[in-house]
Amino acid sequence: MADSRFFKRKGPFSVQEIAELTGAELVNAPDPSRRFDDVSPLQNADASILSFFDNRKYLDAFVSSSAGGCFARPEFVDRAPADMVLFTTSDPYRAYAKAATAYYPFDAANGVVSPHAIVADTAMIGKGVQIDAGAVIGENCEIGDGVIISSNAVIGEGVVIGAGSRIGAGATISHCLIGNLCLIYPGARIGQDGFGFAMGAQGHLKVPQLGRVVIGNDVEVGANSTIDRGAGPDTVIGNGCRIDNLVQIGHNVELGMGCVIVSQVGISGSTKLGNFVVAAGQAGITGHLEIGDGAKIAAQSGVMKNIGAGETVGGSPAVPVMEYHKQTVALSRLIRKKK
Amino acid sequence: MADSRFFKRKGPFSVQEIAELTGAELVNAPDPSRRFDDVSPLQNADASILSFFDNRKYLDAFVSSSAGGCFARPEFVDRAPADMVLFTTSDPYRAYAKAATAYYPFDAANGVVSPHAIVADTAMIGKGVQIDAGAVIGENCEIGDGVIISSNAVIGEGVVIGAGSRIGAGATISHCLIGNLCLIYPGARIGQDGFGFAMGAQGHLKVPQLGRVVIGNDVEVGANSTIDRGAGPDTVIGNGCRIDNLVQIGHNVELGMGCVIVSQVGISGSTKLGNFVVAAGQAGITGHLEIGDGAKIAAQSGVMKNIGAGETVGGSPAVPVMEYHKQTVALSRLIRKKK
Amino acid sequence: MADSRFFKRKGPFSVQEIAELTGAELVNAPDPSRRFDDVSPLQNADASILSFFDNRKYLDAFVSSSAGGCFARPEFVDRAPADMVLFTTSDPYRAYAKAATAYYPFDAANGVVSPHAIVADTAMIGKGVQIDAGAVIGENCEIGDGVIISSNAVIGEGVVIGAGSRIGAGATISHCLIGNLCLIYPGARIGQDGFGFAMGAQGHLKVPQLGRVVIGNDVEVGANSTIDRGAGPDTVIGNGCRIDNLVQIGHNVELGMGCVIVSQVGISGSTKLGNFVVAAGQAGITGHLEIGDGAKIAAQSGVMKNIGAGETVGGSPAVPVMEYHKQTVALSRLIRKKK
C-alpha cells in the first residue's frame, strides 16, 4: 500500500504473531497461522490487510469493511463482518501502532559516518552511529550508540545526544543535553540564546544566556520548532513530551512528563507546565506562569494566569472552557437581539 | 532601479513588444518603437519607465506621474498625463507582472552540478539541472529537467521533483512528489512524519506515517513552512496553490487548486479545502473539516466547523463574517453603556 | 555555575573593576580589591557570586540572599543582608548585563575560514572573519571584519554583512544588506521573494520582487524568523531592533529604531512601524498600516487600523487597551447574568 520508494515493508506476520505483539484477544480467528501482508485504514483494506476501528464515527466503514483483520473494542465484536479476524483490546489505536511499527519499523542507524560529514576530532561517537552527508559535529560532543544525525544538521560544541535518538535534516542544536530515543525533526532550532536584554532608550542591551536546554527521553520536537536555552536556570523538556511543528518555547520554560504541544503554540519565558498538559494549536501562554498537571488549553487560547491541575481553558484571555462557551453563545445572542 | 548586485535587467523593450507580450491595448502611443528601460511603481517613475495603475487608492499618483508608459483600466484613459503611453487592460497588475518578468526573468537553471554538492549515484538527474554547493540528493531521486536545487537543501531518498521546479536554500524534502514549475522557499520542511501517536498515560506511542506529500504543478511553499506527510492517505497540495511563510499543514490535509494560504496559518490533520480557498494570516483550521470552493477565512480566525462554498468567515470561533462584524460592534456598544 | 562544556568564564573581577565597568555606586564595600568568581541569579548565589535585584517581586530572595555582591536600586540599600557588597544604580538589570558580559563575553570570530566552507572566489572577506564548515558564501558578497558565519549558513550573491555581525547555523540570506554588530539566529530566512502575485481564476501570476532587505546596526533576528525582501521599495529594519523567533515580516515592511517584536508575530506587507514599537507574542498586523513611535501591541492582538504614537492596543480586532479590558469584563458579566 505504502509507496515502496519511501517505505520498506517487513512481514507478513501471522494472526498469532500479531496477537502476541499487541496483547490483543483473538476473536473469530480459526487459523492462527494466517498471515496479513500489510496495514491500512478500513476504507482501503482487503482480505490481506490488517486494520483498526477506534473512532465510533467510522462504524459504517467497520461494518462494511473487507479488511482481513481488525483491532477493535470488545463491544463491537457483533458488528464485525463475518469473515473478519478480530483483535479485541481496550485501545485499538495503540495496538495498531504496535502492529504497524512491526510492518514499517522506524529507521535504525546504519552505522555509517559519511565521508561528507564533518566531525570534530574531539567528538565522542558511540557504536553504530549514522552521520549523513553535510552534517557538522562540534568539538567534544557526545553522540550515543545508534544515533542518527541527518544531512546538514549542525551539532554545536559539547552537545550530548543519548542513545537511539534521531536528529532531522538541517536541524541545529547547541548548549543542549538530549536523552535517549528522542526524535528531533528537520529544521528544529534548539539551544540558541533566549530573547533576553535590558530594554532602554539608549538601546536594548543583551544579557548573556548562561543556561542550557535539557531534554529527557522519548521526546519529539517538531519541524522548525524553536527552543531557547535558559538564561541562568535551564530550559527543561520532560520525558515523553510531544512538541509539534513551528512551536516556540522560551528561555527557562519547563515541561513536565508527557506534555503534548500542538503546532504554532508559543510558551513565553519561565513558564512551568506540569505533567501531561495539552496545549492545542496556536495557543499562547504568557511568561512566569504555572500550569497544573493534566491541564488542557484550547486552540488559539491566550493564557494570562496560572491554571490549576486538570482544568480546561479556552478563549483569549483564557477562562474556564465552560465560561468560554457561554461567552460565545452570549455574543451570538447579543447580535440576534439587535437585528 | 533595482540593485544590480541582486538583479540583472533585460531589455529595453519597445511599446510594440510590451503590447504583444501582455495583450494590452495601446492608447496614446504615437511611436510603437519607443523603448522603456525599466519597470517601477508610479511614484518613482520617469519617462524611461513602464509602470502600472491598478488600485484606485493611487489615482493621485497616476494623474501626476511622470512615467513614460503605464498599464491602466480603459476607464482611466482620460485621467492620464498628456505624455503617458497607455496600455489598457482589465487587469493592469497581471499585465505588469508579465512585463516585469520580461525585464527581470526568474532564475533559470545554469546546468551546473557543483563539485561541492553530494548526489547519490542512483539519483536520476534531468537535463540542465543546477545543484548548488552543499545540497544533498538521496538515493533514487528523480530530478526533472531544468530544476534548481539551492545550497544546503536536502532531498531525501526517492523524492520526485518535476521539470523547472526550484528548491530554496536549506529546504528539506522527503517522502514527496513535486510537480513542475514549483517554487519551494528556503527552510521549508516537506514530508516529515505527521503528529500522530496513540496518547496515553503509559506514554504517547508513535504511529508509523505511511503516506506521502503530493504537490501539483505551479505551487509555491513559503520560507520555513512545514507540510507533514500523510498518515496513510497522502497530504495533497493542488495545482497553482500559493502557501506563504511559516504555514503549518498537517497530515492528510488536501488543498484544491489555486488556494492562497497566508503566513502563519495552521491547518490541522485531515481537513480538506476546495479550490481557490483563501485563508488570511494566522488563521487556524481545526482537523477533519471540509472547506468549500472559494471560501474566504479572515485573519486570525479559528475555524471549528465546515464552511460552505463561497462563504466568508471571521472570528474565533469563526462565524459568517457579517455576524462577526456585528459581534464586534455589539461588544463595543456594550462597554459604552457601562461607562 | 554555567556548564563549562558550553560556556568559558573570564575573571574573577574585583569590586573596583565591576564598579568601573558598570558605572554603579559602591555601598558597603570595605575591600575594593575583593573579587567575585561568577554571576548568578539571587537564589543560587554564595559569597563568591555577583548577582542582581531588579524586579520587586524578588525582594524576599534579595533580603535572604547569600550573594557576595549585588546590583540594586539605591532605595533598597537598607534591606540588603549585612555582608552584601552593593552596586547601586537606577537600572540594575542593565548593569548586570554589562558585568555578566565581562564574565561571559559573546563569541568573537576566531579568524579561521574552515576548509569545509565553500567561499566564492569573488567574495570580499574582511579581516579576522570566521567561516565554519558547510557555510556557503556566494559571488561578490562583502563580509566585514570580524564577522562569524556559522555552519551550513548560506549567504547569497552580492549580500553585504557589516563588521562584527554573526550569522547563525543554517540561516539563509539573499538580496540583503546587513549592518554592523547584528545577530542573525539559526534558521532565519532573509531576503526571499515576498508573497506577491496577481490573483486570478486563470492562475496566480508571480510578480518579480525587485527590492532588498536593508538591516541597520545592532539588530537581532530570531531563530526561524522570515523577512521577505521588498517588492520594489526595500524591506527595512532599523538600528537596534530585536526580533524574536518565528516572526514573519512581509515585503516592504519598515521598522524604525529599537522595535521589539516578540515570537510568532506577523507583520503584513507595506506596514510601517515607528521607533521603539513593541509587539507582543502572536500579534498580527495587517498590511499598509502606520504604527506610531512607542506604540505597544498586546499579545495575540489583531491590528487592522493605524495606531498613534504612544498608544497601547489589545484584542482582535485591536482597540485601545482600556477598551479591550472593559470588553473582557463586560463579556464575563454578560454570562453571569444568564446563569
Side-chain angles (χ1 to χ4, degrees), chain C residues 203-244:
Chain C
H204 307 310
L205 192 64
K206 192 166 179 61
V207 178
Q209 303 285 301
L210 303 172
R212 307 165 300 179
V213 178
V214 179
I215 294 180
N217 300 318
D218 181 31
V219 167
E220 295 196 12
V221 177
N224 282 345
S225 285
T226 55
I227 304 179
D228 290 342
R229 73 171 181 266
D234 294 320
T235 302
V236 179
I237 311 293
N239 293 336
C241 284
R242 296 287 178 266
I243 297 171
D244 200 353

Side-chain angles (χ1 to χ4, degrees), chain A residues 1-3 5-8 38-39 41 44 57-58 91 93-98 100-102 104 106 114 116 133-134 151-152 166 169-171 183 185-189 218 220 223-224 240-246 258-264 276 278 282 299-300 324 328 331-332 334-335 338-339, chain B residues 118 134-136 142 152-154 157-160 172 174-177 187-189 192-212 224-229 232-233 246-248 264-266 282-284 288 300-302 316-317 323 326-327 330-331 333-334 337:
Chain A
M1 209 70 164
D3 188 327
R5 287 172 289 191
F6 304 121
F7 303 97
K8 309 298 171 214
D38 202 347
V39 293
N44 316 313
K57 223 170 125 176
Y58 295 99
D91 192 346
Y93 192 47
R94 179 172 287 266
Y96 174 79
K98 289 177 186 166
T101 305
Y104 298 96
F106 297 112
S114 165
H116 301 289
S151 282
N152 289 347
R166 290 170 282 162
L183 188 36
Y185 282 78
R189 309 293 161 200
D218 181 30
E220 296 196 12
N224 281 346
C241 283
R242 296 285 178 267
I243 298 171
D244 200 354
N245 299 340
L246 293 171
C259 291
V260 174
I261 310 295
V262 179
S263 185
Q264 297 177 321
F276 293 99
V278 177
Q282 298 186 333
Q300 294 192 327
Y324 172 58
T328 300
L331 251 183
S332 73
L334 205 60
I335 65 166
K338 311 262 165 191
K339 268 174 198 166
Chain B
I118 301 129
V136 178
E142 298 177 40
N152 290 348
V154 179
E157 187 177 338
V159 166
V160 177
T172 60
S174 71
H175 306 85
C176 182
L177 313 179
R189 310 293 161 201
Q192 57 282 337
D193 293 14
F195 202 54
F197 44 83
M199 281 178 76
Q202 70 273 52
H204 306 310
L205 193 64
K206 192 165 178 63
V207 179
Q209 303 285 302
L210 303 172
R212 307 164 300 178
N224 282 346
S225 286
T226 56
I227 304 179
D228 289 343
R229 73 172 181 264
L246 293 170
V247 167
Q248 153 71 0
Q264 297 177 319
V265 164
Q282 299 185 332
H288 300 273
Q300 295 191 325
S301 303
S316 177
E323 218 171 295
K326 282 181 192 162
Q327 287 182 1
L331 251 182
R333 275 189 193 142
L334 206 59
K337 277 190 223 155

Side-chain angles (χ1 to χ4, degrees), chain A residues 113-119 131-136 152, chain B residues 115-119 136, chain C residues 116:
Chain A
V113 175
S114 165
H116 301 289
I118 301 128
V119 181
I131 304 180
D132 291 342
V136 179
N152 289 347
Chain B
H116 301 289
I118 301 129
V119 180
V136 178
Chain C
H116 302 288

Side-chain angles (χ1 to χ4, degrees), chain A residues 159-206:
Chain A
V159 165
V160 177
I161 300 178
S165 288
R166 290 170 282 162
I167 311 298
T172 59
I173 301 175
S174 71
H175 306 86
C176 182
L177 313 179
I178 294 181
N180 300 327
L181 298 171
C182 290
L183 188 36
I184 310 298
Y185 282 78
R189 309 293 161 200
I190 302 179
Q192 57 283 335
D193 295 13
F195 202 55
F197 43 83
M199 281 178 74
Q202 70 272 56
H204 306 310
L205 192 64
K206 192 168 180 59

Side-chain angles (χ1 to χ4, degrees), chain C residues 5-21:
Chain C
R5 288 174 287 192
F6 304 121
F7 303 97
K8 310 298 172 215
R9 195 172 64 203
K10 304 282 181 180
F13 296 102
S14 70
V15 165
Q16 186 65 38
E17 287 169 319
I18 293 162
E20 281 166 15
L21 181 72

Side-chain angles (χ1 to χ4, degrees), chain B residues 35-294:
Chain B
R35 301 202 292 179
F36 295 112
D37 290 338
D38 203 347
V39 293
S40 147
L42 282 167
Q43 297 86 329
N44 317 311
D46 63 30
S48 70
I49 299 292
L50 178 64
S51 190
F52 72 102
F53 166 47
D54 187 68
N55 184 339
R56 210 173 262 266
K57 223 170 124 175
Y58 295 99
L59 179 58
D60 287 352
F62 175 65
V63 167
S64 63
S65 176
S66 305
C70 190
F71 296 100
R73 291 197 181 75
E75 60 264 38
F76 293 102
V77 162
D78 53 3
R79 308 296 300 272
D83 297 338
M84 185 183 269
V85 177
L86 289 168
F87 300 82
T88 66
T89 162
S90 61
D91 192 345
Y93 192 49
R94 180 171 284 265
Y96 175 78
K98 289 177 186 166
T101 304
Y103 283 92
Y104 298 97
F106 297 113
D107 292 341
N110 63 15
V112 176
V113 175
S114 165
H116 301 289
I118 301 129
V119 180
D121 289 345
T122 55
M124 289 155 274
I125 308 295
K127 290 176 194 156
V129 166
Q130 170 179 344
I131 305 180
D132 292 341
V136 178
I137 315 292
E139 302 288 343
N140 300 306
C141 285
E142 298 177 40
I143 309 294
D145 295 348
V147 164
I148 300 178
I149 313 273
S150 304
S151 282
N152 290 348
V154 179
I155 312 300
E157 187 177 338
V159 166
V160 177
I161 300 178
S165 289
R166 290 170 282 161
I167 311 297
T172 60
I173 301 174
S174 71
H175 306 85
C176 182
L177 313 179
I178 295 181
N180 301 327
L181 298 172
C182 291
L183 188 37
I184 311 298
Y185 283 77
R189 310 293 161 201
I190 301 180
Q192 57 282 337
D193 293 14
F195 202 54
F197 44 83
M199 281 178 76
Q202 70 273 52
H204 306 310
L205 193 64
K206 192 165 178 63
V207 179
Q209 303 285 302
L210 303 172
R212 307 164 300 178
V213 178
V214 179
I215 295 179
N217 300 318
D218 181 31
V219 167
E220 296 196 12
V221 177
N224 282 346
S225 286
T226 56
I227 304 179
D228 289 343
R229 73 172 181 264
D234 294 320
T235 302
V236 179
I237 310 292
N239 293 337
C241 284
R242 296 285 178 267
I243 298 171
D244 201 354
N245 299 340
L246 293 170
V247 167
Q248 153 71 0
I249 294 186
H251 53 190
N252 308 347
V253 165
E254 294 183 18
L255 268 61
M257 288 190 306
C259 292
V260 174
I261 311 295
V262 180
S263 184
Q264 297 177 319
V265 164
I267 306 179
S268 298
S270 302
T271 281
K272 293 181 184 14
L273 276 64
N275 299 323
F276 293 99
V277 171
V278 177
Q282 299 185 332
I285 309 177
T286 198
H288 300 273
L289 298 184
E290 306 265 345
I291 311 296
D293 290 350

Side-chain angles (χ1 to χ4, degrees), chain A residues 172-176 178 183-184 187-195 212-215 219-222 224-230 234-237 241 243-244 246-255 261 267, chain C residues 186 223-224 245-246:
Chain A
T172 59
I173 301 175
S174 71
H175 306 86
C176 182
I178 294 181
L183 188 36
I184 310 298
R189 309 293 161 200
I190 302 179
Q192 57 283 335
D193 295 13
F195 202 55
R212 308 166 299 180
V213 177
V214 178
I215 294 180
V219 167
E220 296 196 12
V221 177
N224 281 346
S225 286
T226 55
I227 304 179
D228 290 342
R229 74 171 182 266
D234 294 320
T235 302
V236 179
I237 310 293
C241 283
I243 298 171
D244 200 354
L246 293 171
V247 167
Q248 152 72 359
I249 294 186
H251 54 189
N252 308 348
V253 165
E254 295 183 18
L255 270 60
I261 310 295
I267 305 178
Chain C
N224 282 345
N245 299 339
L246 293 170

